[in-house]
Amino acid sequence: MPDVGIIMGSDSDLAIMKEAGDILQEFGIEYEYTICSAHRLPRETAEYASTAAERGIKVIIAGAGGAAHLAGVIAAYTILPVIGIPIKTSTLSGVDSLYSIVQMPRGIPVATVAINGSANAALLALEMIAISDEKVRHQLSDYRDKMASSVLAKDRKLKDIGAERYLEQK
Ligand code: RP5
């Protein structure tokens, strides 16, 4: 039974949304992908969101491009936390997607990450799961420790070999 539902408006969003799935997989969290659309499949979107909690889903990650409003519509049909990913568009570089997701009017929240910010959407979903899951809490803590070590190692290398050689080796 998936813990996280990853839903997107089109298969053109999949490459970005898969980054979220890959992180959840790394943490051993079950997830499912769904392609649905608030404007092309409004009834199915409502059905997906209103049955998500009874299907065991704990968090929904919803990605869409343009002013499609997928995350907001889903949030309207469930009290599960919804994380919105504004997908970068060719016309307005994703600013349209960002505004349509981040500017949810009062009453129905959508936690919005950066344009194409799938990795942070997955990490935020994991932090929500970690509230009641000690194992995931420890995994997140290790994840941060590894990130910190990697930055420190880069700093040591830069000081060691200098900027010119560092860039040559990059
Ligand atoms: C939105 O419209 C989708 O989320 C996608 O980002 C965008 C374009 O969809 P396609 O025309 O590529 O199917 O609904």
Side-chain angles (χ1 to χ4, degrees):
M1 196 160 53
D3 289 312
V4 180
I6 300 179
I7 182 165
M8 64 209 89
S10 167
D11 62 352
S12 59
D13 305 321
L14 182 59
I16 295 298
M17 299 304 286
K18 188 176 174 297
E19 290 174 37
D22 290 349
I23 289 185
L24 295 173
Q25 189 140 341
E26 212 180 298
F27 279 74
I29 293 294
E30 286 192 40
Y31 60 94
E32 65 171 15
Y33 289 122
T34 302
I35 298 172
C36 205
S37 167
H39 58 296
R40 293 168 180 158
L41 288 173
R43 271 187 297 274
E44 288 79 356
T45 300
E47 172 73 10
Y48 171 91
S50 48
T51 59
E54 69 203 43
R55 288 186 289 112
I57 287 180
K58 296 182 180 131
V59 188
I60 296 174
I61 298 175
H69 210 347
L70 180 65
V73 170
I74 287 176
Y77 281 100
T78 181
I79 54 162
L80 292 174
V82 177
I83 303 169
I85 305 176
I87 300 291
K88 188 169 182 177
T89 50
S90 50
T91 40
L92 292 173
S93 300
V95 173
D96 44 351
S97 325
L98 174 67
Y99 284 173
S100 78
I101 298 175
V102 79
Q103 285 299 107
M104 275 302 287
R106 180 191 170 102
I108 307 291
V110 170
T112 309
V113 294
I115 295 170
N116 283 357
S118 319
N120 271 359
L123 292 167
L124 184 55
L126 288 163
E127 287 178 2
M128 289 170 181
I129 291 168
I131 292 169
S132 57
D133 187 325
E134 202 178 337
K135 185 176 166 227
V136 177
R137 204 153 59 235
H138 289 306
Q139 284 176 290
L140 280 168
S141 180
D142 290 348
Y143 184 88
R144 288 200 177 188
D145 288 348
K146 276 187 202 138
M147 266 194 309
S149 305
S150 137
V151 178
L152 288 170
K154 285 174 185 172
D155 179 55
R156 270 196 305 275
K157 183 176 168 188
L158 176 61
K159 289 195 168 75
D160 205 28
I161 66 175
E164 212 157 301
R165 278 188 59 211
Y166 191 104
L167 287 173
E168 275 166 20
Q169 290 178 18
K170 212 165 157 24

